């Protein structure tokens, strides 16, 4: 197939990357700030243990990228920010309506948005 042919003849990140799950969220004893370095050292040690003639190649693990799962916290925080911005906008629109002596129905509409 085209996909198999392309995969065989082209190098992609999947050819030299690994995906590791289940790592602890934090490391004890003040080591958390060194997480990437410790993961890199671990996988270099694993590679050395699997070689017939082990050598420590510092470039055998070129880069470690840790992606953290915040259990939706970032989305909730973003949503909360949007709600607060909408509330401020509704208050400003109400103030403008009051200042311009708008109809009661217009002011009531803004009050309703503020209450939501």
């Amino acid at each position: 197939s085209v996909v198999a042919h392309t995969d065989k003849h082209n190098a992609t990140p999947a050819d030299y990357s690994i995906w590791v799950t289940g790592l602890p969220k934090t490391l004890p004893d003040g080591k958390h700030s060194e997480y990437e370095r410790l993961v890199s050292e671990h996988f270099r040690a694993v590679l050395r243990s699997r070689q017939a003639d082990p050598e420590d190649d510092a470039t055998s693990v070129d880069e470690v990228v840790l992606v953290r799962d915040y259990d939706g916290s970032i989305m909730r925080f973003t949503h909360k920010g949007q709600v607060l911005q909408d509330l401020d906008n509704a208050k400003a629109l109400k103030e403008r309506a009051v200042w311009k002596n708008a109809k009661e129905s217009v002011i009531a509409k803004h009050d309703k948005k503020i209450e939501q």
Side-chain angles (χ1 to χ4, degrees):
S1 77
V2 173
V3 173
H5 176 78
T6 302
D7 186 44
K8 183 178 178 179
H9 290 67
N10 293 287
T12 66
D15 294 328
Y16 53 88
S17 300
I18 60 171
W19 178 299
V20 179
T21 61
L23 294 174
K25 289 187 177 196
T26 59
L27 295 181
D29 304 326
K31 293 181 180 179
H32 190 75
S33 63
E34 302 176 64
Y35 212 140
E36 286 89 350
R37 182 184 60 77
L38 293 169
V39 170
S40 178
E41 287 176 2
H42 168 75
F43 282 108
R44 281 203 326 266
V46 169
L47 287 171
R48 279 193 312 274
S49 74
R50 302 286 189 231
Q51 295 174 351
D53 184 20
E55 66 177 67
D56 188 13
D57 180 4
T59 63
S60 61
V61 177
D62 188 52
E63 183 178 16
V64 172
V65 178
L66 296 177
V67 179
R68 291 168 175 84
D69 179 6
Y70 292 103
D71 297 320
S73 296
I74 294 172
M75 290 292 289
R76 285 191 301 276
F77 183 78
T78 302
H79 177 71
K80 184 176 180 179
Q82 185 62 52
V83 168
L84 291 172
Q85 187 175 25
D86 291 346
L87 179 60
D88 285 344
N89 288 342
K91 287 178 180 178
L93 288 170
K94 178 187 174 185
E95 285 179 26
R96 185 187 313 166
V98 169
W99 183 71
K100 288 186 170 188
N101 294 321
K103 295 179 186 176
E104 284 296 319
S105 63
V106 173
I107 295 171
K109 179 181 90 172
H110 295 302
D111 279 334
K112 187 175 179 181
K113 278 193 174 188
I114 293 168
E115 290 173 11
Q116 291 176 348

